[in-house]
Amino acid sequence: MRYPDLQLYIAGAWRQGTDTLPVLNPADESVIGELAVASRLDLDDALAAAAEGHKTWSRTAPANRAAIILKAAALMRQRVEEIAYAITLEHGKPLAQARLEVQRGCEFFEWDAAEALRAYGRVIPSGPDIRYTVLHQPIGPVAAFSPWNFPMSQPSRKIAGALAAGCSIILKAAEETPAGAIHIARAFHDAGLPPGVFNLVFGVPADISGHLIPEPPIRLVAFTGSTAVGKHLTEIAARNMKPVLMELGGHAPVIVCDDVDPVAAAEVSVMRKARNAGQVCTSPTRFFVDEKLYGAFVKTFAERAKAIRLGNGMAPDTQMGPVANHRRKSALHALVCDARAKGARLLAGGEVPDGPGYFFPLTVLADLPDDARAMREEPFGPLALINPVRSLDDAIEKANCLPFGLAAYAFTHSASNVHQLSERIEAGNLSINTLEASVAETPFGGVKESGYGREGGAEGLHHYMTVKNVSHRMTI
Ligand code: NAD
C-alpha cells in the first residue's frame, strides 16, 4: 500500500505546482508526502479548463453523465483499501472508519448520478397558443472548497452534485488531507471524464478563493468549513453577485427525554462521539438529559468514554485516532481548562498524553455553566458536555439558544415529544433515537449560522442548477 503522489489535476492532466507543502501523519507528526501548490498560472489554467469543460459536460446527456459518475464510483469501491489506507495515514482515523467513509462517498456519487436523470422541469398550464416551459439547467462552473475532517466523503458531496447537475468544477481540497480528493480525480480520469470537467488544486486557501471566486467563469461557490470562513467567502461571492452553498459549523444538541433507558442512550452516544475523534460538524456535543435520568446517564457515559481505545488508526483495535492537526489539540485543551476553571466537573479524559502525535482522549464534562466557552463554541473534537434539564421545554430552549442549527438529536419513544421536537427544534436535521444525521438520500444542511443550501436528497442538485422559463407562442 502506498500514499499517492500529491499533484494538481487540471484540464485532464496531472501536474506539479511551483512549490510544495509537507503533509503530516497526525499519529506521529512525520512527513508522509509533499503536496503540489498551484501558482496563479495554474489557477488561470484551471479556470479556462473549467469554462471549456462546462461547455462539453453541460451538453452531455444526463444518462451519459450518470454512467461516467457510476463508473468512477465503482472504481473507488474497488480501490477502497488503498484509499482508506491513505485517509488513515493523513487524517488519523481508524482504518475501519476510513473504509466506511469511502463507501459513504461512493453512495453520494451513486445517489446524485441517479438524481441527474430526475432533474425535471415542468410545463405550466396555459392557453392553447402559448406554452410556458420551465427548464432546470446546469448553473455553470463551480468553485468548491472542502475541509480536512472527511478527506474523501466531503469532496464527494460537492463533486457529485456539480457533475450530476452538468456543471464543471474546480475543487480546492484540504491541504492537510489531500489524498481523498486525489483518489477521486484518479477514478474520474480512469472512468473517462472529459478534460476540464473536474479540476483539483491546492495552495494557500485565502489566495485561491480570493482569485477564483470573482473570476467570470465561476457561477457558484460551494464551501464546507467554519462559519467564519463561510461568511468571508459569502462576502466575496456577494460582491460578485454569485450564489453560494454553505455547509458550516454546528454544535449539536442531544435531548435525552425521561421515557428512555439512560444506559442504552449513553452507550450509543459515546460510540458516536468517538467517531472521527469528534471532528464532525454533526457530532453529538451538548447533552441535555432529563434530571430523573441524569445520574445514570452521566455514570455510564463516563465509564464507556474511559474505555475507548485511543491509538494509531492503523492498529486494528484502535477505536479513536488522534485529532487531525495541532490546532484542534490546543483548541480542545483550552476549552477544557476554561470549563473546569468555571466549575464544570471533569468525568473522563481531559489530560493530553505525552509523546508525538495529536492525541486527545474522549473527554466528558458535566454541570457546565452557561458561560463556559465550550457551551457556545463548536469544540470540533472528542468533547462531550452533559447538563441536566427539568423538562422538554427547558431542553428545547437550551438546544435552540446558539446561533448554530445544523444537526440535533433526541432519545424518546413518545410521539408527542417527537411532534414537539419536529415543530420547534431549529436545525436542518433532526434525528430521533439515532445519531446518524444524514444519508445520501436525505437532504443535508443548516439553518441560522450553520449555512444555507442542501446537499444530498432530492434537493441536492437544486443549488447546482438554474431555472429558465421559456414562453413559446405558436404564431407571431
Ligand atoms: P478553518 O476555518 O481555517 O478551515 C476550515 C477549512 O476551510 C479548511 O479546509 C481550510 O483549508 C478552509 N479555508 C480556510 N480559509 C479559507 C479561505 N479563505 N478560502 C477557502 N478555504 C478556506 O479552520 P480549521 O482550524 O481548519 O478548522 C477548525 C474549524 O473549522 C472547526 O472548529 C469547525 O468549525 C470548522 N470545520 C467544519 C467542518 C464541517 O464539516 N462543517 C469541517 C472542518 C472544519
Side-chain angles (χ1 to χ4, degrees), residues 298-320:
V298 165
K299 180 169 176 290
T300 307
F301 202 115
E303 281 169 10
R304 297 293 192 275
K306 284 180 195 157
I308 290 287
R309 288 185 298 277
L310 184 65
N312 188 317
M314 292 292 177
D317 61 345
T318 292
Q319 289 177 300
M320 196 174 88

Side-chain angles (χ1 to χ4, degrees), residues 219-344:
R219 298 293 179 83
L220 171 71
V221 178
F223 172 74
T224 295
S226 64
T227 296
V229 175
K231 285 181 178 176
H232 173 63
L233 299 191
T234 301
E235 280 171 18
I236 303 176
R239 279 201 294 277
N240 295 277
M241 202 46 75
K242 298 187 183 179
V244 298
L245 173 56
M246 290 282 148
E247 203 271 88
L248 307 177
H251 203 316
V254 183
I255 296 175
V256 183
C257 297
D258 64 359
D259 63 326
V260 297
D261 173 1
V263 172
E267 285 174 348
V268 172
S269 299
V270 168
M271 294 316 294
R272 198 65 185 177
K273 184 74 237 182
R275 174 179 173 242
N276 219 40
Q279 300 160 114
V280 189
C281 49
T282 59
S283 186
T285 298
R286 291 177 296 144
F287 291 84
F288 298 115
V289 183
D290 188 278
E291 58 193 7
K292 294 187 273 308
L293 311 181
Y294 190 63
F297 183 90
V298 165
K299 180 169 176 290
T300 307
F301 202 115
E303 281 169 10
R304 297 293 192 275
K306 284 180 195 157
I308 290 287
R309 288 185 298 277
L310 184 65
N312 188 317
M314 292 292 177
D317 61 345
T318 292
Q319 289 177 300
M320 196 174 88
V323 290
N325 54 53
H326 65 90
R327 298 189 301 288
R328 296 278 22 97
K329 188 169 154 177
S330 38
L332 287 159
H333 187 241
L335 290 178
V336 173
C337 292
D338 170 78
R340 291 185 75 186
K342 288 173 178 157

